[in-house]
């Protein structure tokens, strides 16, 4: 029995990946478990330039979910590559850089920096920076930054442009992370695949609204914020199934996964790998519980490889 | 999961909950409390009110769905909590110094345990006239007075009331506007910031703000900061 | 202070309407409260021909929501007009017929029957059938019937066709009920308005998936089913705000409303009327509680008319 | 909201919960039980197990999230319930007639109260060997025997075991396949159907099926129907 699998020319010890923005840069949940037990870690979304993120309240609870409006607070690509990524080297897992942008140019420039960094690391040119980015998760789906990002994820035209241009400068394996707000997520996925994406990652948060009726204003300064967590799981699962049926590249499924049972639903719907995000806020041991729970389920049901159940729905 | 020893109502919406278990925490640190399995998606940050042998206590006020749920728990019920998180007040630096502990509203919560750890503290409880009856205030005053001399200020701006020159430090928790004003009154003011929180471990960036010119995480780098280093953008907006 | 308002040339005693499919034909919750206290009742969706609905499990719980796969079980338009609608006449409220269809023709034929029925009632031609349909809610958004319905709600082209053709035969006031699965719900709303809809009603349920991992098959025979309830509220609220800003006709907002506070959020987001659906399953008194809760809120906040807070976000 | 008097575990996953309050219901009717405010979106249909002065009891088995939640409730905790819903067994028609009450698995739940209302009933409890220990089965047998002669059948097909000619009617609750088979054995078999339910008042059409050639709502028109009139599509699929 094994949970191990290979995608993107990378070996994943199991299909369980920490979702971007919910697991910091891999160190933060160490008090609960060793992050090396995870199949991968998608670091907090980075952009070419550092960002302070959004003002006001940044997180709140909704029925079965949460809304966040972090607004891609991050140290910028360069600082990430030199600092946080290097710290991640102590973690024995697949290291994923989640790259966002506001304009086509910032995506391209960000991707170039990652490409250069990886080249240097591979050539041993730099003695200080020894950790490479294993996989880029191209984030065209953040609903919390006004300037864009998500603009590229709504339509096929948007996705086509950014994936094509980034692909030109990036030889590092790349999955594109899609938004449930896409007009037609299946078509966007197919477009990304056509333009050279090595995989599809979905879903990011839903654009959503909460109003403070006493104060008569939105809870979030940015008006809308991103909905995630168990509440969205049934919708995410449907989208993952449809995309998995439509593309040939590996699919990284997520949206409300909090237990091993949830993860298995996504795998049965066709996901090759899965991510857990909000789950860590509900239960800081979530990653560990999901990995162990999948293993237990495989034993119980006598499943030798997850390929046996992948996409059977 | 831990067992609840007691959950006492001590004012209109004020409760003190004691939970069984062996805990170690510093004054000013907090725990993330949650109930009902995964139905509640976010845990609630609550400061340590007191730690005893085989138990911990929290003082909280019912403001919304989560704290309302807490208020309904009874002796013997179970509750989930994680922590302690963050850094507390600089107790060791001021162990035997003269320190004013100033709380406003529910901000009085961390001061009880804080006073216990200081040799020479003075407690000032700022309470408004809505929340508590005269008797309840007296009860609270007596409770806090077990650790340090305690005064109760009703609906007053404590930053105008006290002679700050006699203290080596001021440790405070309460409305940002109150803490902001106190910061102007003394060099060594330590404030405890409040932000909505997701992870409490520094992973989600729900709680960042500017302190000493750097982005910090209230959950991990705080919640206690040196008041003079905090950028009070929000509080200043209210002035 | 009044909750009364006029839309569609109809007087609503308050903005609270029971949502189609969750309140039967108005009689079912009488043990809990008199349905005449409601602003309106949208009857179970009807189609030209009677339908038996879907096989298998038809409802299940999800985090903060429910999924249903009723599949528009209904007695057919004619039977509805002759029977259930007439029984509704004892209820002093706005009576809404929710009309679905599988093809353009069935929509048109269904609408014609309603038009004729109303003409007869108005002309007093029929002595037995005395209750008219006050408002038609054109359902182009049911995710649970394979043949269509929702097909018309996904794209502007689909909506354009059906609204235009139905409008030609229907002089009864008509709101079009939109799907959150629409590629661009704002554009679909604008299209409906342009084609003559008197109002927009949103949202219907989200197409979603739940898998029984032990049985290795979807919970629902129809694979996908519709997600509703508190879980979807933040997304629904956002959509309602966007549509309300984009059209001039009245907007009927819904999706996860279970309390008066929820209803007020929708009104602040621009809804003229609101509907509660899943709420009745959580709390059979929901309709009453919402009506009374809005009244209490208006008193507390000294609001004379809901127009004061409508669309202020 | 009602107060729980007791919530006794009587088998691996079997519980009997008694709730305080004044209730009136017929055997075979059910209530919709729910907990934790609106966190649970659907209430759970549970048959009346027994009604007493100022209390009602339910027997349930833990199968998923909702029933697991019920099992954790303790004396003094609160629970919400609505009902009674539906139509029960035709008790008055068979008051003094000879009736076999046949339960399979958790289907034994409604038979306790049913036997209480009949003068001449015989109870057959079909239990499998996994759920209950020998002692627990004995306990249940004794419990049911307070109202009528009771036998316990382990892992057996009761439709093969009994001499049906001696009964005026058979009232049953259990797996559809069992009820289907019983329907073939006697003219007057009354079955209690199980469907996932949303509203329990006939409003949502979650629970419809064909009985006597018409669409009926199990929640409102049932859950008890004359077995010979039920269309066993699902059960027959399993044969
Ligand atoms: C470090 C820290 C220590 C605290 N210590 C105490 C204490 O000892 N006693 C006490 O009564 N309160 C304390 N609070 C505030 C307490 O966390 C909130 O009152 C509580 O989270 C409100 O939850 P709710 O569900 O009742 O309210 P709701 O308004 O329904 O909550 C909705 C969401 O907003 C969050 N939220 C709302 N208000 C606050 C707030 N003021 N701070 C942080 N998150 C908020 C909730 O956690 C929840 O996720 C502390 C907050 C922080 C950050
Ligand atoms: C009229 C009627 C009377 C019943 N009487 C009893 C009784 O006396 N004792 C008892 O133990 N059980 C009884 N049941 C079955 C009981 O309702 C289910 O076991 C229970 O709803 C399962 O809930 P769960 O959350 O634990 O399971 P989950 O599987 O997690 O539930 C998920 C959803 O499916 C529904 N569901 C799952 N299984 C069933 C089922 N068998 N029937 C109806 N809905 C289901 C749940 O209500 C819930 O909405 C009765 C069912 C009906 C229809
Ligand atoms: C607080 C928070 C921050 C997030 N930040 C990012 C981000 O930086 N980049 C990104 O691609 N997705 C981000 N996401 C989205 C998650 O990675 C994930 O796609 C989404 O939350 C759905 O999964 P979940 O329901 O398991 O949380 C963030 C989500 C949350 C809750
Ligand atoms: C059981 C069920 C049946 C429904 N049937 C219909 C229907 O016949 N026609 C329709 O337009 N919408 C139907 N709906 C959708 C609701 O009217 C409503 O749009 C949706 O549930 C969102 O609102 P809510 O979250 O308040 O339930 C149904 C919903 C449920 C839960
Ligand atoms: S709460 Fe997540 S970083 Fe502070
Ligand atoms: S459960 Fe709603 S009609 Fe029976």
């Amino acid at each position: 029995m094994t949970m191990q699998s290979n995608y993107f020319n990378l070996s994943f010890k199991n299909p369980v990946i920490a979702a971007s923005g919910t697991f910091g840069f891999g160190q933060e949940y160490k008090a609960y478990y060793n992050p090396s037990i995870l199949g991968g870690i998608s670091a907090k979304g980075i952009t070419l330039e550092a960002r302070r993120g959004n003002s006001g309240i940044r997180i709140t609870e909704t029925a079965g979910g949460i809304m966040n409006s972090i607004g891609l607070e991050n140290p910028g690509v360069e600082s990430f590559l030199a600092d946080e990524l290097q710290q991640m080297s102590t973690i024995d897992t697949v290291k994923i850089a989640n790259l966002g942008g506001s304009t086509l140019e910032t995506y391209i420039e960000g991707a170039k920096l990652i490409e250069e960094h990886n080249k240097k690391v591979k050539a041993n040119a730099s003695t200080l920076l020894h950790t490479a980015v294993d996989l880029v998760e191209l984030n065209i789906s953040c609903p919390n930054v006004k300037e864009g990002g998500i603009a590229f994820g709504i339509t096929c035209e948007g996705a086509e442009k950014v994936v094509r241009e980034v692909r030109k400068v990036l030889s590092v394996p790349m999955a594109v992370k899609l938004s449930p707000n896409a007009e037609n997520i299946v078509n966007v996925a197919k477009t990304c695949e056509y333009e050279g994406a090595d995989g599809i990652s979905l879903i990011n948060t839903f654009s959503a609204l909460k109003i403070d009726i006493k104060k008569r204003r939105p809870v979030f300064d940015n008006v809308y914020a991103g909905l995630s967590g168990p509440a969205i799981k049934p919708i995410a699962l449907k989208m993952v199934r449809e995309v998995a049926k439509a593309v040939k590249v590996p699919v990284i499924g997520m949206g409300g996964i909090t237990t091993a049972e949830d993860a298995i639903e996504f795998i049965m719907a066709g996901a090759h790998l899965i991510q857990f995000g909000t789950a860590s806020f509900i239960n800081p041991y979530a990653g560990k519980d999901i990995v162990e729970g999948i293993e237990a389920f495989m034993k119980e049901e006598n499943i030798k490889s997850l390929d046996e159940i992948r996409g059977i729905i | 999961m831990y067992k609840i020893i007691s959950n006492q109502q001590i004012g209109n919406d004020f409760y003190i909950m004691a939970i069984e278990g062996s805990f170690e925490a510093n004054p000013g640190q907090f725990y993330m409390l949650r109930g009902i399995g995964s139905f509640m998606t976010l845990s609630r940050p609550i400061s340590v009110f007191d730690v005893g042998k085989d138990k911990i206590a929290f003082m909280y006020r019912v403001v919304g769905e989560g704290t309302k749920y807490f208020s309904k728990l009874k002796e013997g019920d179970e509750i989930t909590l994680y922590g302690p998180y963050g850094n507390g007040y600089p107790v060791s630096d001021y162990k035997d110094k003269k320190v004013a502990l100033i709380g406003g509203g529910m901000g009085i919560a961390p001061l009880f345990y804080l006073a216990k750890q200081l040799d020479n503290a003075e407690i000032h409880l700022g309470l408004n006239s809505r929340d508590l009856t005269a008797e309840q205030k007296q009860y609270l005053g007596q409770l806090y007075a077990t650790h340090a001399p305690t005064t109760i200020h009703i609906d007053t701006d404590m930053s105008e009331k006290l002679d700050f020159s006699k203290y080596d430090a001021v440790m405070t928790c309460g409305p940002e506007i109150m803490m902001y004003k106190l910061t102007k009154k003394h060099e060594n003011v330590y404030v405890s910031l409040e932000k909505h929180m997701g992870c409490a471990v520094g992973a989600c960036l729900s709680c960042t703000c500017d302190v000493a010119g750097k982005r910090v995480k209230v959950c991990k780098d705080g919640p206690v900061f040196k008041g003079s280093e905090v950028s009070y953008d929000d509080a200043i907006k209210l002035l």
Side-chain angles (χ1 to χ4, degrees), chain A residues 21-24 28-29 32 44 52 57-62 64-66 70 73 221 230 281-285, chain B residues 34 37-44 82-83 85 196-199 201-208 210 215 217 233:
Chain A
T22 63
F23 211 73
E28 287 78 358
Y29 280 98
Y32 297 98
K44 173 64 193 170
R52 292 172 53 86
I57 287 175
R58 288 188 172 185
I59 195 162
T60 197
E61 188 174 90
T62 70
I66 65 170
I70 310 298
E73 173 164 349
D221 279 6
F281 309 162
I282 300 174
N283 165 20
Y285 297 96
Chain B
R34 65 182 297 111
S38 61
F39 284 111
M40 215 168 263
T41 46
L42 291 178
S43 300
R44 302 314 197 243
Y82 299 104
Y85 290 114
H196 284 223
M197 290 181 177
C199 68
V201 298
C204 73
L205 308 185
S206 294
C207 66
T208 58
D210 286 341
R215 293 306 275 174
K217 295 158 189 165
D233 293 352

Side-chain angles (χ1 to χ4, degrees), chain A residues 2 44 77 82 88 107 144 151 201 231 241 265 283 293 304 312:
Chain A
T2 177
K44 173 64 193 170
V77 175
M88 283 174 84
Y107 274 106
N144 293 328
S201 165
R241 178 176 186 261
E265 277 192 84
N283 165 20
K304 296 271 169 295
I312 59 172

Side-chain angles (χ1 to χ4, degrees), chain B residues 42 44-45 47 59-61 64 66-67 106 109 194-196:
Chain B
L42 291 178
R44 302 314 197 243
S47 305
M59 180 190 261
Y60 63 94
R61 169 193 249 155
T67 45
M106 205 14 81
E194 230 177 78
K195 290 271 178 189
H196 284 223

Side-chain angles (χ1 to χ4, degrees), chain A residues 19-21 44-45 68 72 98 139 177 203-204 228-229 254-256 277-278:
Chain A
S20 179
K44 173 64 193 170
N68 89 78
L72 282 182
N98 179 281
N139 178 3
K177 184 160 175 185
I203 61 175
N204 209 316
S228 63
M254 79 197 83
T278 305

Side-chain angles (χ1 to χ4, degrees), chain B residues 126-127 153-159 161:
Chain B
L127 298 168
H153 305 253
I154 312 288
D155 292 329
T156 46
D157 186 340
M158 277 176 290
S159 65
K161 272 273 157 106

